[in-house]
Amino acid sequence: MSLYKNLFKQTAIYGLATVLPRMFSFLLVPIYTKLLPKAEYGAVNVIFAYMIFFNVILAYGMETSFFRFYNKEDNKKSVIETSIISIFWTSLLFLSAALIFRNQLAHFIGFDVQYITYTIWIIALDALVIIPFSKLRATARPIKYAIIKIGNVVINLTLNLFFLIYLPKIAKAYPDSFLSSMYFENFKIGYIFVSNIIASLLTFAILLPNYFQVKWHFDFGLWKRMMRYGLPILIAGIAFAINDQFDKILLEKLLPADIAKDQVGVYAACYKLGLFMVLYRTAYTLGIEPFFFSHASNEKASETYATITKYFVIFGSFILLSVIVFADVFKVLMIRDSTYWVAMKVVPLIILANFFLGIYTNLSVWYKLIDKTHIGAYISLIGAGITLSLNFILIPIMQKNGYDGYMGSAIATIAAYGSMMVISYVWGNKYYPIPYDMKKIGGYLGLSILFSVISFYYFRENYFVGIPLLLVFMCFIYYNEKDTLNRIIRGKSKTPTVKDLIPNTQNPDEDPDNQ
């Protein structure tokens, strides 16, 4: 019993440390869209896309390798030292080379060298804390991990508020003060990156003692084994970064220079409305994945996974329809400059794409359970290929035929994640059959998509249509799931658990509460 309590306690803390930073970053969108012109906001998002891509490269699968070998090897100290030394020298090499060639990088990417310099430092500092953070997780110190992670984002958010909102007011009111000397006009993008550098530097300073605690003994044989294990993780990470971020980079490269950054700006702002589905997918995955593995040996495990996936689709379909019905309410709250709203037409596509990615994450349990994680890399590479090819094809075609180029990026995103979802389902049926209730799953997903299309593209902002559609969908859910829902309602004195959703999937003698 204590094992399960500890498992879910740590999962909740790590989930909080993952979801809260995303929510805080959500709060920056209204600030950026209010204060930054579309082109500048587009530039920020392109640089952030490069930053995420290089974060994956500088981690090169070492984080996952660390966990694998820390739990596998008897000499855990050697794993810690070898990992830290490896990341330290590769980060230092990257920092030195990137700073030497920063002018060439700035020319290639097409941005001010000053911003590229800031970005290089942020990437290097973030890489240097990968293993210290992993060590906290491996040694079961979730609270310290969460405090530092959340603290980093709070500092970043606070500094953004100070530099972008309060510092200009202070400089105007007290022109001779010390703080006014810190204010520079037309430096808004610079302040965003300075805020990130300070937050990353403070995080590194807190975790710096980890570098003084090692004896700097490098086990080359262990390192080679860790690198071989981490290579598929690196490939999958690069593929995922391409799927998640390369649309902004390609938009900036493939569109005419006079409109490229504007289109990236409006697309990135409206893309953020998909964060509701991202938060749901992230929180759900962090909470349910340990359950998948803990029930892998259960004789009814496949039925359990099928039921869990069905309820993921039910709640996700409800979120999909809810966000799309009220998308124009959310846009007013999040995107303060109405000139950004021109890209609102991509919102349903982006939310549905993130939903497909969430379903894919649920379906992907099969290759994890049979230790064929390389299949995940293959599927991600297929998705990356679709993302790149469709962006290259559709962006110029859309722009040439009177549509905005970012519509091509949105279509590419939904095609990539939708393909990954279908491929995982087909391959999973071959290697690890799970009896999904495809009739109900297809019904919920199909009806929510149909109602979303009707609400957004035919009766947009007409809540006399949208709200009834949402109510009809809720009634449809209740009609089909009333037995389970009534069970939960009758037991409302306790918090609903997975067992409330999955009747008769576990032998009472195996219930940890009965041990």
Side-chain angles (χ1 to χ4, degrees):
M1 180 65 176
S2 60
L3 176 65
Y4 280 84
K5 284 185 177 180
N6 188 51
L7 170 66
F8 284 108
K9 176 184 175 183
Q10 291 195 26
T11 300
I13 295 171
Y14 289 132
L16 193 68
T18 303
V19 173
L20 271 184
R22 289 180 179 271
M23 293 180 67
F24 283 135
S25 67
F26 199 54
L27 298 176
L28 289 171
V29 177
I31 299 171
Y32 292 164
T33 54
K34 181 179 180 180
L35 299 177
L36 297 179
K38 295 188 291 295
E40 290 189 8
Y41 184 63
V44 169
N45 277 275
V46 171
I47 296 175
F48 279 169
Y50 279 111
M51 193 183 301
I52 291 170
F53 186 75
F54 278 100
N55 282 341
V56 173
I57 293 175
L58 281 187
Y60 50 87
M62 186 57 70
E63 181 180 18
T64 305
S65 292
F66 173 85
F67 287 117
R68 171 68 172 171
F69 284 84
Y70 185 87
N71 290 296
K72 178 182 177 183
E73 298 289 317
D74 294 329
N75 191 348
K76 302 185 186 303
K77 188 175 180 182
S78 180
V79 176
I80 295 172
E81 292 184 344
T82 300
S83 303
I84 279 187
I85 293 169
S86 179
I87 289 288
F88 175 79
W89 285 113
T90 52
S91 300
L92 198 62
L93 179 64
F94 164 80
L95 179 64
S96 303
L99 288 176
I100 290 171
F101 295 104
R102 63 183 181 273
N103 289 312
Q104 290 83 351
L105 288 171
H107 177 73
F108 173 76
I109 296 174
F111 290 96
D112 192 307
V113 67
Q114 187 176 28
Y115 302 147
I116 300 303
T117 304
Y118 296 149
T119 303
I120 291 168
W121 277 102
I122 295 168
I123 293 170
L125 289 169
D126 289 348
L128 288 168
V129 298
I130 290 172
I131 300 303
F133 270 127
S134 300
K135 181 183 172 184
L136 287 176
R137 293 178 63 187
T139 54
R141 303 182 68 184
I143 294 178
K144 183 176 180 180
Y145 174 92
I147 290 173
I148 298 173
K149 278 283 187 180
I150 295 171
N152 172 282
V153 182
V154 170
I155 291 169
N156 188 18
L157 176 62
T158 303
L159 289 173
N160 270 276
L161 291 172
F162 172 73
F163 284 128
L164 296 177
I165 296 178
Y166 295 106
L167 186 60
K169 295 179 180 178
I170 293 171
K172 184 177 180 180
Y174 306 98
D176 298 323
S177 66
F178 168 73
L179 288 177
S180 68
S181 65
M182 298 169 57
Y183 176 68
F184 304 96
E185 286 191 57
N186 303 318
F187 192 64
K188 293 186 179 69
I189 295 180
Y191 286 131
I192 292 172
F193 287 103
V194 168
S195 300
N196 275 270
I197 287 178
I198 294 173
S200 295
L201 185 61
L202 290 174
T203 300
F204 175 67
I206 292 171
L207 295 171
L208 183 60
N210 286 274
Y211 284 87
F212 295 109
Q213 292 168 2
V214 299
K215 295 183 178 179
W216 293 83
H217 171 72
F218 187 76
D219 186 333
F220 187 70
L222 172 64
W223 180 80
K224 286 196 297 182
R225 287 187 285 129
M226 294 180 75
M227 289 297 293
R228 281 196 297 269
Y229 183 86
L231 182 60
I233 310 297
L234 170 61
I235 294 171
I238 291 174
F240 185 83
I242 290 172
N243 289 329
D244 193 45
Q245 296 294 330
F246 246 59
D247 50 355
K248 288 90 172 174
I249 295 172
L250 292 176
L251 271 173
E252 197 271 334
K253 289 293 183 184
L254 296 175
L255 290 174
D258 58 328
I259 63 170
K261 288 185 175 64
D262 278 6
Q263 286 213 18
V264 175
V266 297
Y267 174 66
C270 292
Y271 195 105
K272 292 292 184 182
L273 291 178
L275 190 62
F276 292 102
M277 188 62 74
V278 174
L279 290 175
Y280 168 65
R281 170 173 56 83
T282 303
Y284 188 92
T285 301
L286 286 168
I288 211 65
E289 196 164 71
F291 179 86
F292 281 155
F293 289 101
S294 66
H295 280 65
S297 59
N298 191 300
E299 64 178 13
K300 293 189 177 180
S302 60
E303 288 88 345
T304 300
Y305 302 149
T307 306
I308 289 173
T309 300
K310 183 184 75 171
Y311 281 96
F312 176 84
V313 172
I314 290 173
F315 293 124
S317 297
F318 177 73
I319 292 172
L320 169 72
L321 182 56
S322 299
V323 174
I324 290 176
V325 166
F326 296 105
D328 290 286
V329 175
F330 293 130
K331 80 179 181 188
V332 175
L333 297 175
M334 285 189 57
I335 307 171
R336 298 301 176 85
D337 185 345
S338 60
T339 60
Y340 283 86
W341 297 350
V342 66
M344 279 296 293
K345 52 184 170 287
V346 306
V347 170
L349 299 178
I350 296 305
I351 297 174
L352 183 58
N354 278 289
F355 190 21
F356 284 165
L357 180 59
I359 297 173
Y360 162 73
T361 303
N362 269 267
L363 297 177
S364 67
V365 66
W366 66 268
Y367 63 72
K368 297 176 183 177
L369 292 176
I370 62 175
D371 291 328
K372 292 186 179 292
T373 52
H374 61 279
I375 292 178
Y378 296 154
I379 297 175
S380 295
L381 285 172
I382 293 171
I386 293 171
T387 296
L388 292 174
S389 59
L390 287 184
N391 269 284
F392 274 110
I393 294 169
L394 294 178
I395 290 174
I397 290 177
M398 289 287 181
Q399 195 65 36
K400 183 179 179 180
N401 288 279
Y403 299 94
D404 294 303
Y406 52 72
M407 281 301 297
S409 293
I411 293 170
T413 301
I414 196 171
Y417 290 148
S419 298
M420 290 167 63
M421 174 184 69
V422 172
I423 291 169
S424 183
Y425 172 72
V426 173
W427 286 3
N429 270 342
K430 179 179 178 181
Y431 293 103
Y432 190 94
I434 294 176
Y436 297 112
D437 188 346
M438 293 306 298
K439 184 178 179 181
K440 284 191 174 182
I441 289 175
Y444 293 124
L445 181 60
L447 190 62
S448 66
I449 293 173
L450 175 64
F451 284 0
S452 296
V453 169
I454 293 172
S455 174
F456 192 87
Y457 292 107
Y458 293 96
F459 296 96
R460 186 171 165 188
E461 293 189 83
N462 185 341
Y463 299 110
F464 291 105
V465 175
I467 293 176
L469 286 174
L470 191 58
L471 292 174
V472 169
F473 187 69
M474 292 171 65
C475 291
F476 181 73
I477 293 173
Y478 178 77
Y479 177 80
N480 285 280
E481 306 298 329
K482 57 186 174 185
D483 291 341
T484 301
L485 293 174
N486 286 334
R487 244 192 344 267
I488 295 174
I489 293 170
R490 285 196 298 269
K492 63 184 178 180
S493 58
K494 65 174 184 176
T495 303
T497 65
V498 174
K499 288 187 291 182
D500 293 315
L501 303 178
I502 310 168
N504 302 321
T505 61
Q506 184 172 339
N507 188 316
D509 295 332
E510 296 173 353
D511 189 340
D513 292 334
N514 294 332
Q515 292 180 3

